[in-house]
Amino acid sequence: MAGDTESVMRGAADDDEIHWRRELPAGNTAAAWRARRTLGTAARAMLRAGALATQRSAGFHGARGDRRADAFTRRARYAEGPEESAAGRTLTASAAPGSPDGGGRELAVLCRALRATAQAVCRYRTTGATEHFDTAVSDGCCAELTEALCQLVRGTEGVRITLAWSRSAGAPRDCPRRPPALVFTPADLPALELAGRHYVRVEPPVPVRVTGTVVRLRRARPGEPGSVRLDVLAGAEVTQVRARLDDEGYLRAVHSHLAGLPLRIAGLLESRGGFRRLSGAHDITPVPVPEEARERLLKRLRKALDDFERGMGG
């Protein structure tokens, strides 16, 4: 997988860059189309993992930090290689360093995370121990990154990843001025897949106190526990959570929904399900809001009801 390292690491005048090169067996047109689509999907997933790691160190992020991470992947610019793009072999993504809403240089975090992942994979293949992946979390390694690498590597003979820094901003702290290329091969897949499962399994739940608007209520019979879904306004970096409430808590949720008031719930945000589920719900109470804010919430609820009725043909 040797090749044009100098041209790949040319660097943009004002952007940080990451380059992916996949070594693919010869295939037909349909296979090339699938490979091209896979490369684009996996590349965006890798950028998302880097953006998530910029916000916090965690083995599994789930839905936490979705808004900012997805915004970064949309903000990045993508360019396919001129000769091999149709076969899904080369792709470059560039991003402005230190953008105001990016929380830092995401590609710098991704550079450290990829190096730590490569080292952990190598040590795992030597020792068979997973503690190397636990150590790599502090450098940004996570389940989202290992899954993106698996997507990139499957069906290839290997993947070469190279980063180059903005000429105006220079190399980030703790990153080499000319980062060496990192290579992942199909032989790394068992370790990467194991690491991803390990990260999801060991990530602990997070105690939270969430405030949100009630957008769904469901229970089988009056007097029994029921489930609610909230659009999160504050208290957790997720867009929605689900919670199972006892009869009293469920009635409070109904009251909040009818009155157009937010609901506050304390509990544990579980990693199972991607941090979208609240367990052990308690301290359930409607939250008074200023009249102006309440009117905005009521308009939002009415619009949601109108959209629902139109969808039902009403």
Side-chain angles (χ1 to χ4, degrees):
M1 302 197 38
D4 49 350
T5 305
E6 290 298 324
S7 62
V8 166
M9 300 187 70
R10 64 191 183 279
D14 294 308
D15 290 343
D16 293 334
E17 292 184 350
I18 181 168
H19 309 264
W20 298 274
R21 180 184 176 88
R22 304 171 82 218
E23 295 296 330
L24 296 171
N28 57 31
T29 303
W33 180 85
R34 288 193 298 271
R36 184 184 181 198
R37 183 176 180 181
T38 297
L39 174 57
T41 300
R44 285 166 174 80
M46 185 173 289
L47 292 184
R48 181 179 181 276
L52 289 169
T54 303
Q55 300 176 50
R56 69 169 63 80
S57 294
F60 175 53
H61 297 272
R64 295 180 295 171
D66 271 353
R67 288 189 182 98
R68 289 175 62 183
D70 291 341
F72 173 67
T73 61
R74 289 193 299 269
R75 196 166 61 245
R77 292 168 296 282
Y78 304 88
E80 296 176 303
E83 299 170 357
E84 298 170 315
S85 59
R89 286 189 169 90
T90 62
L91 183 67
T92 295
S94 57
S99 52
D101 58 343
R105 294 177 77 169
E106 287 85 351
L107 293 190
V109 175
L110 188 54
C111 177
R112 292 190 288 268
L114 285 167
R115 282 189 301 170
T117 304
Q119 292 169 2
V121 167
C122 182
R123 291 168 182 163
Y124 172 79
R125 292 175 65 180
T126 302
T127 66
T130 59
E131 65 254 22
H132 309 297
F133 290 110
D134 294 326
T135 304
V137 169
S138 62
D139 286 315
C141 189
C142 58
E144 288 79 7
L145 179 57
T146 58
E147 174 55 30
L149 283 166
C150 287
Q151 291 181 54
L152 276 171
V153 172
R154 287 189 192 107
T156 74
E157 297 171 0
V159 173
R160 183 185 185 91
I161 304 172
T162 315
L163 290 106
W165 307 123
S166 159
R167 290 176 182 171
S168 57
R173 186 178 59 183
D174 300 330
C175 289
R177 187 174 66 87
R178 296 172 66 85
L182 293 165
V183 176
F184 295 88
T185 71
D188 299 325
L189 283 172
L192 291 169
E193 291 168 349
L194 175 70
R197 294 192 297 270
H198 173 71
Y199 285 142
V200 173
R201 185 172 62 251
V202 303
E203 187 66 24
V206 180
V208 294
R209 188 176 298 274
V210 172
T211 302
T213 55
V214 179
V215 294
R216 186 170 183 179
L217 295 149
R218 171 184 280 183
R219 68 174 174 178
R221 300 177 190 83
E224 292 186 352
S227 62
V228 300
R229 187 169 68 199
L230 304 180
D231 277 352
V232 175
L233 300 173
E237 286 187 290
V238 294
T239 56
Q240 287 192 339
V241 294
R242 295 178 178 84
R244 187 161 179 82
L245 308 180
D246 60 20
D247 178 52
E248 182 180 354
Y250 185 83
L251 291 177
R252 290 181 181 177
V254 171
H255 168 73
S256 293
H257 182 63
L258 294 176
L261 294 174
L263 187 70
R264 181 179 295 137
I265 305 178
L268 290 175
L269 201 58
E270 296 283 355
S271 59
R272 185 179 62 175
F275 291 100
R276 297 179 183 90
R277 183 181 305 168
L278 201 66
S279 67
H282 61 280
D283 293 344
I284 303 158
T285 181
V287 180
V289 294
E291 188 64 28
E292 182 179 346
R294 187 180 176 208
E295 282 301 315
R296 288 199 300 269
L297 288 170
L298 285 171
K299 288 179 182 178
R300 181 178 174 186
L301 289 170
R302 291 190 196 105
K303 183 178 184 302
L305 179 60
D306 291 343
D307 291 343
F308 174 77
E309 289 177 344
R310 281 194 295 270
M312 295 294 291

